[in-house]
Amino acid sequence: MDKDLEHMLKSLEQTKFNIEARTKNTNLLADQDPNYGLTNNSVTKSHALSRAYYRFSLVEKRCMEALISKLHPLRSDNNLQEIELSALEYAKAYNVPVNIAYRDLASAVHDLMRKVITADRPNGKEGRIEFTVMSKAEYKADEGKIVCAFNSYILPYLLKLSGKFSSYPLKQTADFSSSYTWRFYEILISWAQPKDKTNGRLMGWINSQPVDELREMLGVPKSYTWKNFEHQVLNVASKELLEKACIGVFFERVKTNRKITHLNIKFIESDQTTLPLEGGKPPKKPAKRRPNAV
């Protein structure tokens, strides 16, 4: 029996080794191939992290997601490894001048070390857990890059994921000009229906989403009234999602004692030219001109 168990364990380890050997590590690819674009990577994280409560600036968000994209969620050799992000990679991915990329990386090192993410406790338990994003962040000015290591408490939300996670291509978000748009996109993606049930189209819905919770997830200042939240966050994010990701978002407001307390949210990926921004019927196509009578 012991020999059988030992044989099974060896077989399991060999299978795991073979899988990882066939799975390319994008962090190494980026270092070895100067033509490899960072936006070819995908960002994968658990639903719990996508729906966590935090507010990052656009620069912080760009750096964090680029670093996450260099991890492989199924590999076991990512734990506590140092991840590098160069100014040239950053500039190419986000279409900014190299001097701006240097400035952004330098500021991100300081900020990412101090950012705290708040998430709900797992398995439906009451309460929340807080953790910082990075355990180390170093800006190497002479080499034009930052070197970071993720906090061990955030790694379970990023690695060895087997369920309740979502993934998206970094290039889908690289042109976003608002961190609110990026965060809202992640939240929507975490509620998307399986594509084998939607003919490959991104779509989904969120029923009875508490407004206060959504504000927390997006990191909206408490001073924002509903009007501020709607016009400066929801409308801006929805417009940018439609223009840059071809995702239409539709809101149904739900009131409790005359106050808007919940939102029913639907979203669908489609052609930008045929999907209305605020719901309702698609715009009519212009009538075809009839040829002049002979």
Side-chain angles (χ1 to χ4, degrees):
M1 186 66 178
D2 291 340
K3 289 184 178 180
D4 290 340
L5 180 59
E6 183 179 354
H7 177 74
M8 290 173 61
L9 290 174
K10 286 184 177 180
S11 177
L12 183 61
E13 286 298 319
Q14 184 62 44
T15 301
K16 182 179 177 183
F17 175 81
N18 291 339
I19 292 174
E20 293 187 351
R22 294 194 302 267
T23 307
K24 296 179 180 179
N25 189 319
T26 55
N27 193 25
L28 296 178
L29 277 175
D31 289 338
Q32 296 170 359
D33 184 359
N35 296 318
Y36 187 88
L38 189 64
T39 53
N40 292 325
N41 292 349
S42 292
V43 177
T44 302
K45 59 182 67 175
S46 69
H47 291 338
L49 184 57
S50 294
R51 302 169 191 169
Y53 312 95
Y54 65 90
R55 171 83 167 103
F56 282 7
S57 70
L58 183 60
V59 169
E60 294 161 0
K61 190 64 176 169
R62 283 175 169 176
C63 289
M64 178 182 173
E65 303 310 311
L67 291 166
I68 290 176
S69 79
K70 290 192 167 193
L71 295 171
H72 195 294
L74 298 180
R75 294 180 67 96
S76 61
D77 61 353
N78 292 297
N79 290 331
L80 301 180
Q81 74 169 345
E82 294 184 345
I83 309 294
E84 297 182 355
L85 176 63
S86 72
L88 292 178
E89 286 179 299
Y90 182 96
K92 182 179 178 181
Y94 299 117
N95 194 28
V96 298
V98 175
N99 64 313
I100 299 298
Y102 275 91
R103 182 201 66 187
D104 287 354
L105 293 187
S107 65
V109 164
H110 177 84
D111 297 332
L112 288 176
M113 282 297 297
R114 288 155 181 79
K115 286 294 182 178
V116 174
I117 290 179
T118 303
D120 292 325
R121 293 181 65 204
N123 303 319
K125 296 179 181 179
E126 292 187 9
R128 292 179 176 179
I129 180 173
E130 294 187 353
F131 45 81
T132 56
V133 177
M134 300 293 175
S135 60
K136 172 193 174 181
E138 178 182 4
Y139 175 54
K140 297 185 176 182
D142 56 326
E143 299 180 36
K145 63 184 178 182
I146 59 174
V147 181
C148 301
F150 284 101
N151 186 341
S152 60
Y153 288 101
I154 199 176
L155 289 177
Y157 297 88
L158 300 172
L159 302 178
K160 302 178 184 178
L161 303 174
S162 58
K164 295 184 178 180
F165 68 90
S166 51
S167 183
Y168 63 86
L170 185 62
K171 62 184 176 183
Q172 186 79 4
T173 57
D175 290 335
F176 288 162
S177 59
S178 168
S179 62
Y180 286 135
T181 303
W182 205 323
R183 281 292 294 128
F184 193 40
Y185 173 82
E186 288 183 328
I187 294 168
L188 296 180
I189 291 295
S190 74
W191 288 102
Q193 294 296 299
K195 287 193 174 182
D196 59 353
K197 297 182 179 179
T198 62
N199 294 322
R201 176 178 292 183
L202 174 68
M203 62 180 296
W205 55 86
I206 310 173
N207 291 325
S208 297
Q209 169 63 57
V211 170
D212 288 343
E213 183 185 50
L214 182 59
R215 289 167 60 107
E216 276 194 274
M217 287 191 284
L218 295 172
V220 175
K222 293 182 179 180
S223 60
Y224 274 31
T225 63
W226 162 257
K227 188 175 182 179
N228 295 142
F229 178 49
E230 182 180 37
H231 290 286
Q232 298 181 37
V233 180
L234 295 182
N235 287 355
V236 170
S238 298
K239 184 175 185 292
E240 191 166 31
L241 284 173
L242 184 63
E243 292 176 346
K244 297 180 179 178
C246 291
I247 297 174
V249 185
F250 307 87
F251 300 97
E252 179 188 1
R253 300 161 183 80
V254 180
K255 290 185 177 181
T256 304
N257 296 327
R258 297 185 178 182
K259 179 182 178 181
I260 299 173
T261 57
H262 294 75
L263 294 172
N264 292 326
I265 306 171
K266 295 181 180 179
F267 57 96
I268 184 170
E269 182 181 39
S270 185
D271 293 332
Q272 181 178 345
T273 55
T274 61
L275 197 62
L277 180 61
E278 294 295 337
K281 297 181 180 180
K284 293 182 179 180
K285 295 181 179 179
K288 294 183 179 179
R289 296 181 60 183
R290 294 183 179 181
N292 295 328
V294 178

